[in-house]
Every structure is written in structure tokens, then in C-alpha cells.
């Protein structure tokens, strides 16, 4: 926590290149830097609920850069996002080709940044907003259980396989952290 806060408040720019798997503590480090960069190789997730934990290391702060429903879906489900999805979610600003990582410098990030059109996340967002935009975890589970479409059935099955305590702690953590600074 001290390291993440120091990275987030450091006076000089810090570039964090996420050119591979970025999960849990690695996401906490990278997404608390001033200039997080994703590539074609980026795979981001916060899978803690799958293993009986909750997304910490500043996740209450950086996940809440996303829309509230998306923040909850990322935290509760541990959804994996590729580089363009991380940009579309609002977690990083720069998308650079993996072959150009060695060229990255603070003064050329804008020039190296690639356009991000559609991302797999875009297809899921309507469902995420309808379900994870609800007010309580119980409401989310009830609505998922009542729907019969493939996305809802798959999502409900996944959540029911996770630790109920982890899900409740994560929901409370992410909703309470909305609008708070990293230090808070």
C-alpha cells in the first residue's frame, strides 16, 4: 500500500508498461503510476474473488476510474481485458504495439499511441450495465438467476463458484471506495 501510494503521488512521471499478464499486485503497481501503457500482449484482470480474496492494492481506487457497473464486474468476476479493453475501460491512456516497447519514453507516448476501435468489452457493456449497475449483490445474483440468456447463465455460474464472503467484501469495498482518493 505504501509503495502504491508513493507511485501514485510521485512528482516525476512514471511509465508502467504492461506487456503481458497484469493481475492483482502487478495491476496495483502499474495502474497507480502516472503513465500506464498497454500493448497487444496485455492481459489484465483482478481475479481475487476466484481464490477467496478481494481486490485490494488500490483496486478500490483504480477500478473506480471505470463506470461503476464495470468496476464491480471487473472486481467481482475477475474479467480479463486485453490492451484495447483496458483503454476502453478507462484504466490506461496509452496503447502501444508490443514491438515498439523499447521505444517508449515520456516525450513520445502520444506519437506511439495506437487508435483503439472496438474491444471485446464493448459487446459485454450493455449486459454489465444492466446487471452490475444494481444496488446490492443480492439484486445482482437474483437478476442473473432469473435471466436465461447465455451471458447471464455463464456469469451466474461463475459467481456462484466464488467465495460468497469474497464477493460481499469486494462489493462493499468497491462501492464504499467510490469518490475516495487512494490515500482514503
Amino acid at each position: 500500500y505504501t509503495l502504491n501510494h508513493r507511485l501514485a503521488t510521485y512528482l516525476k512521471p512514471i511509465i508502467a508498461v504492461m506487456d503481458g499478464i497484469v493481475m492483482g499486485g502487478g495491476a496495483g503497481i502499474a495502474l497507480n503510476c502516472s503513465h500506464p501503457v498497454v500493448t497487444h500482449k496485455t492481459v489484465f484482470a483482478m481475479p481475487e474473488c476466484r481464490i477467496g480474496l478481494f481486490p485490494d492494492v488500490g483496486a478500490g481506487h483504480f477500478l473506480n476510474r471505470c463506470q461503476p457497473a464495470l468496476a464491480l464486474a471487473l472486481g467481482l468476476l475477475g474479467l480479463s481485458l486485453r490492451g484495447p479493453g483496458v483503454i476502453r475501460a478507462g484504466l490506461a491512456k496509452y496503447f502501444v504495439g508490443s514491438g515498439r516497447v523499447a521505444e517508449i519514453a515520456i516525450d513520445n507516448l502520444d506519437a506511439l499511441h495506437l487508435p483503439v476501435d472496438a474491444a471485446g468489452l464493448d459487446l459485454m457493456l450493455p449486459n454489465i450495465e444492466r446487471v452490475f449497475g444494481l444496488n446490492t449483490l443480492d439484486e445482482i445474483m437474483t437478476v442473473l438467476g432469473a435471466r436465461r440468456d447465455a451471458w447471464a447463465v455463464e456469469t451466474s455460474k461463475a459467481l456462484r463458484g466464488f467465495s460468497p464472503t469474497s464477493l460481499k467484501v469486494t462489493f462493499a469495498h468497491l462501492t464504499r471506495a467510490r469518490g475516495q482518493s487512494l490515500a482514503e
Side-chain angles (χ1 to χ4, degrees):
Y1 291 103
T2 302
L3 171 64
N4 290 338
H5 187 263
R6 181 78 186 260
L7 291 170
T9 59
Y10 202 70
L11 298 178
K12 294 181 181 181
I14 301 174
I15 299 171
V17 180
M18 297 175 274
D19 191 35
I21 297 171
V22 183
M23 298 183 183
I29 289 171
L31 296 175
N32 282 304
C33 290
S34 60
H35 293 76
V37 176
V38 294
T39 72
H40 295 93
K41 294 180 183 177
T42 301
V43 179
F44 162 84
M46 295 302 290
E48 286 83 351
C49 285
R50 295 180 186 183
I51 58 172
L53 300 172
F54 76 99
D56 55 351
V57 295
H61 179 69
F62 67 75
L63 286 179
N64 276 310
R65 291 182 201 149
C66 305
Q67 303 164 2
L70 180 55
L72 284 171
L74 290 170
L76 294 169
L77 283 170
L79 289 177
S80 291
L81 299 178
R82 303 297 299 210
V86 176
I87 297 288
R88 298 289 273 207
L91 294 170
K93 286 177 56 177
Y94 300 100
F95 178 52
V96 175
S98 293
R100 300 196 72 185
V101 165
E103 300 172 45
I104 294 173
I106 199 69
D107 59 348
N108 71 352
L109 279 171
D110 289 325
L112 291 173
H113 177 65
L114 298 170
V116 175
D117 293 324
L121 176 63
D122 294 334
L123 299 173
M124 291 187 285
L125 276 177
N127 280 321
I128 287 170
E129 289 169 359
R130 274 192 291 280
V131 174
F132 289 91
L134 297 169
N135 295 321
T136 68
L137 182 59
D138 288 337
E139 287 178 31
I140 291 169
M141 298 303 287
T142 299
V143 167
L144 284 171
R147 287 179 47 174
R148 297 290 172 238
D149 58 283
W151 180 85
V153 169
E154 183 180 316
T155 301
S156 178
K157 181 180 177 185
L159 289 175
R160 291 185 193 288
F162 300 166
S163 161
T165 302
S166 292
L167 293 172
K168 289 176 184 174
V169 169
T170 299
F171 186 90
H173 177 60
L174 292 176
T175 55
R176 289 179 187 166
R178 286 182 190 150
Q180 290 187 340
S181 69
L182 179 60
E184 292 169 318

